[in-house]
Amino acid sequence: MIHSDTIIFGILAAILGILFFLRQRGGVWDKVFTFVPIILLAYLIPSLMVSFGVIDASESNLWTIAKDYFLTAALVLLTLSIDLRGILGLGPKALIMFFTATLGIIIGGPIALWIVAQFEPSIIAGQGADAAWRGFATLAGSWIGGGANQTAMLEVYGYNIEQYGAMVAVDIVVANIWMAFLLYGAGMHERIDRWLGADASAIARLRDSMADYSAQVEKVPSANELIVLTGFTFGAVAFAHWSAGWLSYYFTSALGAEAVLASEFFWVVVMATTIGLAASFTKARELEGIGASKIGTVFIFLLVAVIGTKMDIFQLGDAPLFMAVGLIWMTIHSVLLLTVAKIVKAPFFFVAVGSKANVGGAASAPVVAGAFHPALAPVGVLLAVLGYALGTYGAILCAEMMRAVSGG
């Protein structure tokens, strides 16, 4: 079993290199990657290596590096050439699907808990800090907002910290299984859109307009220009972290450590996105010509591979009752999303991004959006920030409904 972060990162990079080399070869590989999207393989292969004990990422620092460097840099680079007017022109269906995803998590929790309790009443038998509904409140916080909301729910409802690890396992495994389905769907979204009766022309126009801009300004970069791009990117990353530290400190003092606005990661995402958006209105947007979004896409794929190391499918057996609730919960969420999408004829892009803006937050929403096209990644970021804002309120509502189901 491989423990070294240096070796694990090298393996992940090699996997990506092999996948893209095969795609470049074309032929039969075009058919393979049509059936199984390359971004899904970039995610699944590392997760299978973890599951079968080839690599051990349990004490790895790669996720910290991926989140603090790759994700932050990707947010800056992918928003640098953004067409903000085009995003605003996507219409109301993006928000409809986002709020449907939120509603699916809020009502899915108590329904899933009630269903499992019909077969195994012990799931609602716990008292005080051991009550399962208190633990599932942390799951609701994570699946509507993110890690900051999850921590807030842990503080608000005081779940037994010794049992909290099981909830974290449910969070990671169930959310990542759902992400695998969404990445697969992204690879066949045109077929799904036909089934939904959806008009994805606005998304296609946004994708094409951003791709056209990239083509217009594209040129062969010099070493000087690449160093300028690197300096801009990681200078922005540094500023995002520096300002996030101050903002987190201020709001911790004003609102308490459990508040969403006290989360440093929340402010890193907001500041990196803001820097990219602001730069898109200046001459810095021309950095797209030397490959800003292409480098951002490289960071996204590295992020996907690292996220893959966080899922061990064999953890499904560690807490079977909790896992059962989580799987039913996510099923309710997905069925509601697809039902509403069918009714309003929303493109699958809005289904996938609306869901991951809730369930995955800023770490994975741009990944799923970028699976449709790298130029669309910022849409996921903007919706994920909205998820952070609603996470605590939605999780409290969900928790109180689960308390009622448990009779607590």
Side-chain angles (χ1 to χ4, degrees):
M1 187 176 289
I2 299 169
H3 301 265
S4 167
D5 278 353
T6 306
I7 299 174
I8 292 172
F9 181 75
I11 291 171
L12 298 180
I15 290 169
L16 293 177
I18 292 169
L19 288 174
F20 278 86
F21 173 76
L22 293 174
R23 187 171 77 168
Q24 195 174 26
R25 293 289 299 272
V28 68
W29 292 106
D30 285 339
K31 297 179 181 178
V32 171
F33 293 132
T34 298
F35 181 71
V36 186
I38 196 168
I39 195 167
L40 177 59
L41 290 172
Y43 170 78
L44 283 181
I45 293 173
S47 70
L48 291 173
M49 295 181 76
V50 169
S51 299
F52 288 99
V54 178
I55 59 178
D56 178 8
S58 59
E59 297 183 8
S60 171
N61 291 315
L62 285 179
W63 172 240
T64 302
I65 294 170
K67 184 177 68 171
D68 291 345
Y69 292 90
F70 300 160
L71 174 61
T72 313
L75 293 178
V76 173
L77 290 167
L78 292 172
T79 53
L80 189 60
S81 60
I82 196 169
D83 179 0
L84 191 58
R85 186 179 302 172
I87 287 181
L88 295 176
L90 288 175
K93 289 181 182 178
L95 289 177
I96 290 173
M97 297 316 302
F98 172 83
F99 286 114
T100 299
T102 304
L103 179 63
I105 297 299
I106 292 173
I107 67 173
I111 294 173
L113 185 58
W114 180 84
I115 291 172
V116 173
Q118 304 312 299
F119 299 94
E120 184 52 70
S122 64
I123 190 74
I124 58 174
Q127 299 295 319
D130 293 326
W133 68 266
R134 296 180 186 272
F136 288 122
T138 69
L139 209 55
S142 175
W143 285 356
I144 298 174
N149 308 88
Q150 185 176 29
T151 304
M153 291 301 98
L154 184 62
E155 293 291 329
V156 169
Y157 288 103
Y159 184 57
N160 186 344
I161 195 69
E162 293 180 3
Q163 298 181 31
Y164 181 54
M167 290 297 172
V168 173
V170 174
D171 180 9
I172 292 171
V173 174
V174 175
N176 280 283
I177 288 174
W178 175 232
M179 183 172 177
F181 278 105
L182 292 177
L183 291 175
Y184 180 74
M188 51 185 292
H189 65 91
E190 292 177 354
R191 195 183 314 169
I192 299 175
D193 285 343
R194 284 195 294 271
W195 175 77
L196 292 171
D199 177 11
S201 58
I203 298 170
R205 283 195 298 272
L206 174 63
R207 177 197 65 208
D208 294 343
S209 70
M210 295 180 73
D212 288 345
Y213 175 76
S214 298
Q216 289 171 12
V217 296
E218 187 173 15
K219 60 181 179 179
V220 177
S222 66
N224 187 78
E225 289 170 323
L226 288 174
I227 292 172
V228 170
L229 176 61
T230 302
F232 171 81
T233 302
F234 287 100
V237 169
F239 181 81
H241 281 276
W242 176 79
S243 56
W246 280 105
L247 288 164
S248 172
Y249 175 79
Y250 171 78
F251 283 104
T252 298
S253 302
L255 304 175
E258 71 281 358
V260 174
L261 293 179
S263 167
E264 186 168 341
F265 180 65
F266 169 83
W267 287 111
V268 168
V269 170
V270 170
M271 293 307 298
T273 306
T274 303
I275 292 168
L277 284 172
S280 72
F281 291 98
T282 71
K283 291 200 69 172
R285 192 182 187 210
E286 295 176 5
L287 290 172
E288 172 61 20
I290 59 172
S293 65
K294 293 183 178 67
I295 297 171
T297 302
V298 172
F299 286 137
I300 286 290
F301 271 92
L302 288 170
L303 180 66
V304 170
V306 173
I307 290 174
T309 66
K310 288 166 62 65
M311 184 176 75
D312 180 353
I313 58 173
F314 295 125
Q315 286 183 330
L316 281 168
D318 290 348
L321 288 180
F322 290 169
M323 285 291 178
V325 172
L327 289 169
I328 295 171
W329 192 344
M330 195 58 67
T331 300
I332 293 167
H333 166 80
S334 58
V335 169
L336 180 63
L337 271 171
L338 290 171
T339 301
V340 173
K342 183 75 171 173
I343 293 170
V344 303
K345 299 184 180 344
F348 183 68
F349 174 77
F350 292 148
V351 174
V353 176
S355 176
K356 290 311 290 183
N358 280 270
V359 176
S364 55
V367 170
V368 171
F372 290 82
H373 192 279
L376 299 173
V379 181
V381 179
L382 298 178
L383 287 178
V385 171
L386 181 58
Y388 281 127
L390 296 176
T392 299
Y393 306 108
I396 289 173
L397 178 57
C398 179
E400 293 305 318
M401 293 167 68
M402 290 189 288
R403 185 206 293 262
V405 168
S406 303

